[in-house]
Amino acid sequence: MASAPGSTVWPAALATRRLALRPVAAADVGAIARLWTDPEVRRHLGGPVDSNVVRIREKRCVGAPGAFAVVRQADQAVVGLVTVEPGARDGRTEVSYQLLPEHWGQGYGREAVAAAVTWARDGSPSSAPGVVALTQQANLRSRRLLEGLGATVEDSFVEWDEPQVLYVFPSPPAE
């Protein structure tokens, strides 16, 4: 079920030039679980997730509101996960993302995050307006991605024992 442009009704399906973002399906769980256990993916996310936590997440991620499997349209390969969480940061919607390492450097992250931010911005039911993203200060790839999408640093602080940077996405231009 696809949502209409400007709607954040779930379930939603989004499309970019090369990607489809859709609710996580049971067939996606293996690829999604790799995101939680791959040391390189988890390098700036606190390290690989404990196997007991992975098992719980595997059960909960299928169809979870705001959790988009990022799928390459050409071959239906799952390349990552983008989540949109209304009200996560000071009442604002937070967009998070992870891609499998073999898909890094191809622009998929930028494409997927841009689509998710637009979807979230167009009607997210957050208590405060705005869309934000958080990354570790040391995660230069993620910081470049966010800055390339026009997000700007709003705050920096220590969380999970690491310096973090909170980015805010610009509001859409007034029509």
Side-chain angles (χ1 to χ4, degrees):
M1 170 187 206
S3 62
S7 169
T8 54
V9 174
W10 191 262
L14 312 176
T16 70
R17 186 173 59 83
R18 301 177 297 164
L19 303 171
L21 283 73
R22 57 164 173 70
V24 175
D28 305 331
V29 171
I32 301 300
R34 275 190 57 215
L35 293 166
W36 301 323
T37 59
D38 184 285
E40 193 59 26
V41 172
R42 301 292 304 173
R43 183 168 151 207
H44 297 291
L45 297 169
V49 174
D50 179 77
S51 61
N52 293 323
V53 174
V54 170
R55 281 194 291 280
I56 292 167
R57 286 183 180 184
E58 286 174 336
K59 292 176 185 173
R60 293 182 179 168
C61 71
V62 175
F68 289 98
V70 180
V71 180
R72 187 170 47 210
Q73 290 187 31
D75 61 2
Q76 299 304 297
V78 175
V79 302
L81 177 71
V82 172
T83 58
V84 176
E85 187 178 355
R89 291 270 167 189
D90 302 323
R92 296 178 290 183
T93 298
E94 182 176 354
V95 173
S96 303
Y97 48 92
Q98 300 172 56
L99 293 179
L100 293 166
E102 62 267 27
H103 302 293
W104 292 357
Q106 299 175 49
Y108 295 144
R110 182 181 179 126
E111 219 171 292
V113 172
V117 167
T118 299
W119 181 77
R121 191 189 282 142
D122 285 349
S124 181
S126 286
S127 59
V131 179
V132 298
L134 180 69
T135 192
Q136 269 192 17
Q137 184 175 330
N139 191 344
L140 299 180
R141 290 179 81 118
S142 183
R143 294 185 69 185
R144 282 193 302 268
L145 182 152
L146 294 169
E147 291 165 6
L149 291 173
T152 56
V153 174
E154 180 181 84
D155 196 9
S156 58
F157 48 89
V158 174
E159 187 175 83
W160 309 106
D161 297 324
E162 294 291 338
Q164 307 289 328
V165 182
L166 181 68
Y167 281 85
V168 62
F169 288 92
S171 297
E175 294 181 14

